[in-house]
Amino acid sequence: MLSSQVERLFDEPPLHFTEQHFQLFREFKEALNKGQIRAAEPDAATKSGWRADAWVKKGILLGFRMGAIIDMSIDPARQPFIDKSTYPVRSVTLTDGVRIVPGGSSIRDASYIGRGVICMPPMFVNVGAYVGDGTMIDSHALVGSCAQIGGNCHISAGAQIGGVLEPVGALPVIIEDEVLVGGNSGVYEGTVVKRRAVLGTGTILNRSIPVYDLVRDAIYTATETDPLIIPEQAIVVPGSRAISHPTGKKWGLSLQAAVIVKYRDSKTDSRVQLEDLLR
């Protein structure tokens, strides 16, 4: 079984990697490229609805251990690229149904890119990531290692979707189906954004920033065991919270926060839908 073979090779590394080991790793990468295995999967038994697949993360890390530094440049003099031999640029063909608009984008091998995905230049998808069908990754956007992006999402220009590769048991960032991540937003440290949520321009979500839900009179934060979870259809915008410390209060300082101001309705849907003409 692929999982047990990968874990054994990771946990008991040989003095030298053989062709058989490299063939196993190629099979592992192909399964990632096809979306047959993922760094994280839906799991209704967990509070977040997701669980990390530690063995998949081990396999990705194994690739860095196995690879040698090589010259990957198309033109070494004008634009050199030097990286691990195990992680070249991902191969994409016309039959994959993916649009990669010219202009300097890069998709790393061992990542899944669904049909109908649009990649606007320059953008970057890192190893282990999963991008669902029909999603748009806009200019200067980053999909980090092992991040899981659902279908029909819009990752707007300048947005940063952080990844979590280590520790292997940690949940990566999850963006579920039909989410809009506004321009220059950042989602980090295993945050889970549930389906059809909207992050306004410049919204930052991580384990340290609380989210205040004005509609439901609730505050969402990460805990030692659970990530920050943004509810389905929430509209989240940047906010701030006053500092209660006497010195901070004296100076009128505030700290970063995020605020849920409403939940999606038909008016929201009409404003955030992707234009069919773009496809």
Side-chain angles (χ1 to χ4, degrees):
M1 188 175 179
L2 186 61
S3 58
S4 59
Q5 291 176 293
V6 167
E7 287 206 279
R8 188 179 306 113
L9 188 58
F10 180 87
D11 295 335
E12 303 171 10
L15 291 176
H16 302 286
F17 291 107
T18 67
E19 176 54 30
Q20 185 178 7
H21 295 143
F22 281 101
Q23 178 57 35
L24 173 66
F25 181 69
R26 286 192 290 268
E27 292 174 11
F28 170 78
K29 282 201 305 180
E30 186 62 16
L32 277 171
N33 285 332
K34 291 180 176 179
Q36 295 169 343
I37 59 174
R38 300 173 63 169
E41 295 185 77
D43 185 348
T46 66
K47 182 178 179 180
S48 67
W50 291 80
R51 62 173 170 82
D53 279 344
W55 79 269
V56 175
K57 287 187 171 188
K58 285 183 177 181
I60 294 169
L61 291 169
L62 182 62
F64 289 103
R65 186 185 295 169
M66 295 174 69
I69 299 292
I70 63 168
D71 188 339
M72 295 184 176
S73 309
I74 297 174
D75 186 334
R78 299 176 63 185
Q79 196 168 37
F81 289 98
I82 311 294
D83 201 5
K84 290 278 187 161
S85 57
T86 41
Y87 288 120
V89 173
R90 188 188 188 281
S91 175
V92 180
T93 67
L94 186 62
T95 58
D96 292 324
V98 175
R99 286 178 58 195
I100 304 177
V101 179
S105 296
S106 182
I107 301 171
R108 214 170 185 186
D109 204 12
S111 58
Y112 175 77
I113 308 296
R115 296 192 68 81
V117 168
I118 302 172
C119 302
M120 298 299 293
M123 47 66 65
F124 179 65
V125 175
N126 208 346
V127 61
Y130 182 104
V131 181
D133 295 352
T135 284
M136 174 182 279
I137 308 173
D138 226 324
S139 303
H140 297 281
L142 164 71
V143 178
S145 55
C146 298
Q148 305 290 295
I149 311 293
N152 297 311
C153 295
H154 188 168
I155 311 302
S156 300
Q160 304 284 294
I161 308 301
V164 178
L165 185 51
E166 295 183 275
V168 294
L171 193 69
V173 172
I174 308 291
I175 308 291
E176 293 190 350
D177 294 345
E178 299 181 58
V179 167
L180 169 64
V181 178
N184 294 310
S185 295
V187 186
Y188 308 106
E189 298 174 353
T191 295
V192 177
V193 181
K194 305 299 282 185
R195 76 181 286 274
R196 304 193 78 241
V198 176
L199 308 185
T201 301
T203 301
I204 303 297
L205 302 174
N206 61 31
R207 296 186 66 86
S208 303
I209 296 176
V211 179
Y212 295 85
D213 190 335
L214 302 183
V215 180
R216 299 177 178 174
D217 190 20
I219 302 174
Y220 309 121
T221 58
T223 68
E224 288 188 8
T225 56
D226 295 307
L228 172 64
I229 303 172
I230 302 301
E232 287 191 12
Q233 306 201 71
I235 311 296
V236 192
V237 300
S240 62
R241 54 195 171 103
I243 293 178
S244 58
H245 187 280
T247 303
K249 192 172 183 179
K250 178 181 71 173
W251 289 340
L253 299 179
S254 59
L255 295 174
Q256 194 168 23
V259 182
I260 296 175
V261 292
K262 61 180 287 188
Y263 283 76
R264 280 181 80 148
D265 52 26
S266 57
K267 184 177 179 181
T268 308
D269 292 342
S270 66
R271 292 184 63 184
V272 303
Q273 68 182 355
L274 286 173
E275 292 288 344
D276 290 337
L277 289 174
L278 292 176
R279 302 185 179 281

